Amino acid sequence: LSLFTPYSCIVVRELKIADYVFFVGDKLAPVLIERKSAEDVAGSLHDGRWERQQRNMRKAQYVLGDGHARRCQICYIIEGDPNKRKVHGGNVGRRTWFQSVDDCESAISELPLLGFSVMRSKGHLDTIGILAKVAQDISWKVKNGVIDVKYTYKQFLDRIKVCDEKLGNPPTLKEHQNPAPPVVVNWNPAGPKTTNTKTTSDDPKKTNKSNEPETEPEPNMNYSEANLNGGGENCEEISELKKMSLQALKDLCKERGDKIGGKKEDLIARLMKPRKPEIIIMRARRNEYVPKIPSCNAALMVALHLHHIPGTQGLAKERLMVLAEETGVSKDSMSGDGGFYDGWSGMKDLLRGDPALVKREKGQKFSLTTQPPESSGVAVANALHILAHREGLCTCGNTLE
């Protein structure tokens, strides 16, 4: 298994404590990570592993973290959304476990007070990216003398065996509660799927990458009303739009390639947004395929745009899937939710058309098409990248427009 990072070398073995540990040479770094899928959370709550594993992790923290100082990070990666793993009867995982979504989310929300940091992951590809970032962070800290490593894995296990059971109790000191995670993770399934909240354009909630709404947001609508009331710079333009009929507003939206459904205020809000890149509008008029933002196909194209140089060898499927997950352009996990379909299922749509947006090369490598320049995959991917930034989705860190 490769994490596509120069900082990581992966060794697979059965571990007594935690799912992931990190070595510096043959010594253990003071970071322990337990991974739980949504089903694992429900199953662990049902059979009692949830509490047992936490006690063992806190004892391990005592050993690796200089005793009562507990300078060892113990973390959970919670993979997937419990709401998407419900079975008949509304329970998560298996009906006979009798664990509801609220039960699972309540247990997860209690972890910080029990001494654990929590990182939420969309799927296993997202988890791979998180682990790679943690490995990179540990490497930097070791090189700069921020953390010390003392024990081999055998020495670590020997010391765990002689630990007092009381050392596995939940922490009582505030300094050992609500710890920060090793790395920042942007995804959070608890974010609202729709929004009717009245916010201004400088509301920080609007730019929170972890709370992207499922339906198309209308962030400019209430901002426009505020301008009308206060004489803002868009007041005159909005006043003119309000004088127009509903059908006329729909025609304007259609010309821009925007949705035409909704109330008059919704249409005006869309018209006050920046116009989509022309290549997106023209392809829609010609009934040519364009990936939506957000979507897995858009994430694949943005990943190719960011990480592949035209004219060089394309990217393999495995690497491309990981890079697409890291873009943040898809609200769903690229690895899927355990069903038949995953984020690669839509690749067939990108390979179709004349010209296609993506081409398959020898050796199952993939790259964006470059011809003709005005309608190539490179041009469409660049436009999608711009739209992803406008929606506050892309995590690449670049500044566009």
Side-chain angles (χ1 to χ4, degrees):
L1 173 66
S2 173
L3 292 184
F4 311 114
T5 169
Y7 303 94
S8 304
C9 178
I10 309 305
V11 178
V12 179
R13 66 172 67 169
E14 183 179 355
L15 299 177
K16 302 295 184 182
I17 296 175
D19 288 326
Y20 300 98
V21 295
F22 299 84
F23 288 90
V24 180
D26 64 342
K27 303 291 182 63
L28 273 176
V31 178
L32 301 171
I33 295 179
E34 180 77 15
R35 170 200 162 273
K36 293 285 186 189
S37 67
E39 295 97 325
D40 290 336
V41 173
S44 297
L45 289 170
H46 171 71
D47 62 22
R49 284 180 293 127
W50 185 253
E51 184 177 345
R52 289 199 305 270
Q53 289 173 337
Q54 290 175 21
R55 293 189 65 83
N56 289 335
M57 291 271 280
R58 284 190 289 262
K59 289 166 64 177
Q61 181 190 43
Y62 179 86
V63 172
L64 289 179
D66 293 331
H68 292 291
R70 294 189 178 270
R71 287 190 288 267
C72 171
Q73 293 179 295
I74 50 177
C75 323
Y76 271 84
I77 293 179
I78 305 297
E79 194 174 276
D81 184 354
N83 278 292
K84 295 184 178 181
R85 309 312 300 165
K86 289 191 293 186
V87 296
H88 181 70
N91 292 322
V92 177
R94 296 182 183 178
R95 183 170 58 86
T96 55
W97 287 345
F98 302 107
Q99 301 296 327
S100 68
V101 172
D102 287 341
D103 292 333
C104 293
E105 290 292 353
S106 176
I108 294 168
S109 67
E110 291 173 357
L111 287 173
L113 286 177
L114 299 174
F116 299 88
S117 60
V118 179
M119 297 177 286
R120 303 297 292 253
S121 159
K122 288 188 286 186
H124 72 262
L125 290 177
D126 200 14
T127 298
I128 289 174
I130 292 172
L131 293 173
K133 291 177 183 177
V134 174
Q136 182 177 353
D137 181 68
I138 291 173
S139 177
W140 182 90
K141 288 179 177 178
V142 171
K143 290 178 181 178
N144 289 274
V146 179
I147 58 175
D148 297 321
V149 292
K150 294 183 178 181
Y151 304 122
T152 65
Y153 191 66
K154 183 179 183 305
Q155 292 170 336
F156 164 69
L157 292 180
D158 290 341
R159 281 162 172 76
I160 288 289
K161 292 177 182 177
V162 298
C163 273
D164 192 315
E165 284 299 316
K166 292 181 180 179
L167 296 174
N169 292 339
T172 55
L173 298 177
K174 289 186 177 180
E175 62 190 78
H176 297 150
Q177 298 173 342
N178 299 300
V183 296
V184 176
V185 177
N186 292 320
W187 187 73
N188 183 359
K193 294 184 177 180
T194 58
T195 179
N196 292 317
T197 305
K198 292 189 176 184
T199 59
T200 59
S201 60
D202 60 350
D203 191 328
K205 293 181 180 179
K206 198 184 77 172
T207 57
N208 187 338
K209 296 175 186 176
S210 65
N211 292 328
E212 287 301 320
E214 183 173 294
T215 56
E216 181 181 355
E218 303 291 357
N220 291 318
M221 181 175 66
N222 294 301
Y223 175 75
S224 301
E225 292 175 354
N227 282 349
L228 278 173
N229 295 330
E233 59 181 8
N234 294 323
C235 177
E236 184 176 345
E237 183 179 357
I238 295 169
S239 297
E240 290 300 319
L241 290 173
K242 285 194 169 187
K243 295 176 183 177
M244 299 176 67
S245 66
L246 183 64
Q247 185 58 49
L249 293 173
K250 287 184 176 181
D251 291 340
L252 288 177
C253 287
K254 184 176 181 180
E255 189 276 332
R256 289 163 44 105
D258 292 329
K259 294 180 180 179
I260 61 173
K263 300 178 181 179
K264 198 170 186 180
E265 291 78 7
D266 300 329
L267 300 176
I268 293 175
R270 292 172 197 149
L271 291 170
M272 293 306 298
K273 291 182 181 180
R275 186 181 176 90
K276 293 179 181 178
E278 290 302 318
I279 188 171
I280 300 295
I281 297 174
M282 293 306 298
R283 286 185 69 89
R285 289 177 182 172
R286 296 195 294 260
N287 292 321
E288 295 175 344
Y289 175 70
V290 179
K292 296 180 180 179
I293 296 285
S295 70
C296 292
N297 275 6
L300 290 169
M301 292 199 66
V302 171
L304 284 169
H305 175 66
L306 292 173
H307 299 284
H308 178 255
I309 300 174
T312 63
Q313 187 180 43
L315 301 181
K317 171 185 173 180
E318 293 77 12
R319 177 164 173 75
L320 180 53
M321 288 279 278
V322 173
L323 294 173
E325 189 80 79
E326 292 177 351
T327 65
V329 177
S330 173
K331 65 181 179 181
D332 297 316
S333 170
M334 295 298 296
S335 54
D337 293 312
F340 181 77
Y341 296 100
D342 61 17
W344 193 256
S345 301
M347 174 57 77
K348 61 182 181 296
D349 295 320
L350 300 178
L351 295 169
R352 293 172 181 165
D354 186 19
L357 297 176
V358 174
K359 62 180 179 180
R360 183 192 286 113
E361 302 172 359
K362 185 178 180 180
Q364 291 297 302
K365 307 287 185 178
F366 299 85
S367 62
L368 295 170
T369 57
T370 58
Q371 298 295 330
E374 67 278 0
S375 59
S376 64
V378 170
V380 174
N382 181 61
L384 292 173
H385 189 207
I386 292 172
L387 290 177
H389 271 269
R390 288 181 185 175
E391 296 296 330
L393 295 171
C394 188
T395 61
C396 72
N398 297 331
T399 302
L400 303 181
E401 298 185 316

